Amino acid sequence: MLASTLLTLLGVLSLHGCAEAQSIQPINQILKDIAINLDNTLTCAKWDCKCTFDRQRGCCCAANDMFRVEDETFNRMTSLRNDINSLKSNVHALTTGMNIAFAASMGPNPDQCYGPFNTNVPIAYTVVTLNDGNGYNPSVGVFTAPHAGVFVFSSTVYSLVTSGQRLYYKVKMMKNGEVMTSMSEDNRDDNEDTANQMITLELQRGDLVYMQLDAGRKLCKNLNNNVFTGYMLYAYPDD
């Protein structure tokens, strides 16, 4: 009975394929009523007849699977968002308070010399323009690492003497009393000299870095051209 009814309806649809919407609408209603009242098992086990007519257009054979995929996708996206937020929080916690950088120069003293001294001395760069993290102590010219990590340091050495005088200096970058770099000049041919160096160092918390002027040497005039800078490239997470 059901099959003959459906065949009859399909025949009507084939004969009136170009019929107006107002004549097709009752046929759709008949199909809906037949589908809703159907007790037999349909060929597609996942077919949801109520879904077909009440929730969306078209066949609902895969609707439940699609809804499940949507739910799984949403849950995965939510989990991914939570993971990203957690990572962001971890990065923030790791980097908070680790913005470490400093820049300092010697005082101007345009007509004076720094040195010579009878012993090796740390150079006090007293004019501080940057000291994030407060690792640099301008009173003694020493940087103390607040955190373990990799740091970049640079220094500029400058000296000017009157013509015929000896240009004579030796400046070293020291780490915990050990020489890391060295810049020197010893001649009477030039009365002005400048030198620059940059180095990357691995430091532990509390390590000391400073510039040292060797005994018997001196830096003269325009001492503000002597500069000492440093910053943390990245921190070690277990510090």
Side-chain angles (χ1 to χ4, degrees):
M1 179 64 181
L2 174 61
S4 61
T5 302
L6 291 176
L7 288 174
T8 301
L9 290 174
L10 290 174
V12 172
L13 288 174
S14 64
L15 291 174
H16 301 281
C18 297
E20 296 181 354
Q22 62 181 4
S23 63
I24 295 177
Q25 182 61 34
I27 297 175
N28 288 341
Q29 184 61 43
I30 294 172
L31 288 173
K32 176 181 178 179
D33 293 340
I34 294 173
I36 292 176
N37 294 321
L38 182 65
D39 294 329
N40 297 18
T41 301
L42 296 176
T43 55
C44 180
K46 298 180 181 179
W47 187 291
D48 185 345
C49 295
K50 185 173 179 59
C51 167
T52 302
F53 293 101
D54 292 350
R55 295 178 56 182
Q56 66 181 43
R57 297 176 181 177
C59 176
C60 282
C61 283
N64 292 332
D65 289 339
M66 291 174 62
F67 294 150
R68 185 173 63 255
V69 170
E70 289 178 358
D71 290 341
E72 291 176 354
T73 302
F74 175 79
N75 291 334
R76 290 179 181 178
M77 293 180 65
T78 301
S79 178
L80 179 60
R81 182 186 63 185
N82 293 336
D83 290 343
I84 292 174
N85 290 336
S86 178
L87 178 60
K88 181 179 178 181
S89 298
N90 291 338
V91 170
H92 179 72
L94 179 63
T95 58
T96 297
M98 293 190 182
N99 296 325
I100 300 170
F102 74 94
S105 63
M106 299 180 69
N109 296 327
D111 299 321
Q112 298 182 14
C113 292
Y114 184 79
F117 303 101
N118 58 9
T119 186
N120 300 337
V121 296
I123 300 175
Y125 299 86
T126 56
V127 181
V128 179
T129 56
L130 176 67
N131 197 11
D132 289 345
N134 297 314
Y136 178 72
N137 185 345
S139 300
V140 293
V142 176
F143 172 78
T144 304
H147 299 279
V150 175
F151 292 75
V152 177
F153 295 93
S154 65
S155 60
T156 299
V157 176
Y158 175 87
S159 189
L160 172 65
V161 297
T162 58
S163 180
Q165 287 188 332
R166 185 183 184 186
L167 192 61
Y168 190 51
Y169 69 77
K170 189 169 187 177
V171 176
K172 302 172 182 175
M173 182 180 294
M174 311 294 291
K175 171 189 170 183
N176 298 331
E178 181 181 353
V179 178
M180 298 290 103
T181 66
S182 180
M183 294 173 282
S184 63
E185 186 63 58
D186 183 7
N187 73 74
R188 295 180 183 271
D189 297 329
D190 299 326
N191 67 324
E192 183 180 26
D193 186 75
T194 185
N196 301 275
Q197 282 190 338
M198 178 178 290
I199 187 173
T200 302
L201 296 177
E202 182 182 51
L203 301 181
Q204 300 300 319
R205 183 194 297 270
D207 281 351
L208 306 178
V209 178
Y210 55 93
M211 304 302 297
Q212 173 183 283
L213 178 66
D214 273 11
R217 311 298 178 102
K218 62 182 179 179
L219 299 171
C220 294
K221 299 182 180 180
N222 300 326
L223 296 179
N224 56 299
N225 290 326
N226 289 270
V227 179
F228 182 33
T229 69
Y231 63 91
M232 184 172 66
L233 188 61
Y234 59 85
Y236 291 153
D238 295 332
D239 179 44

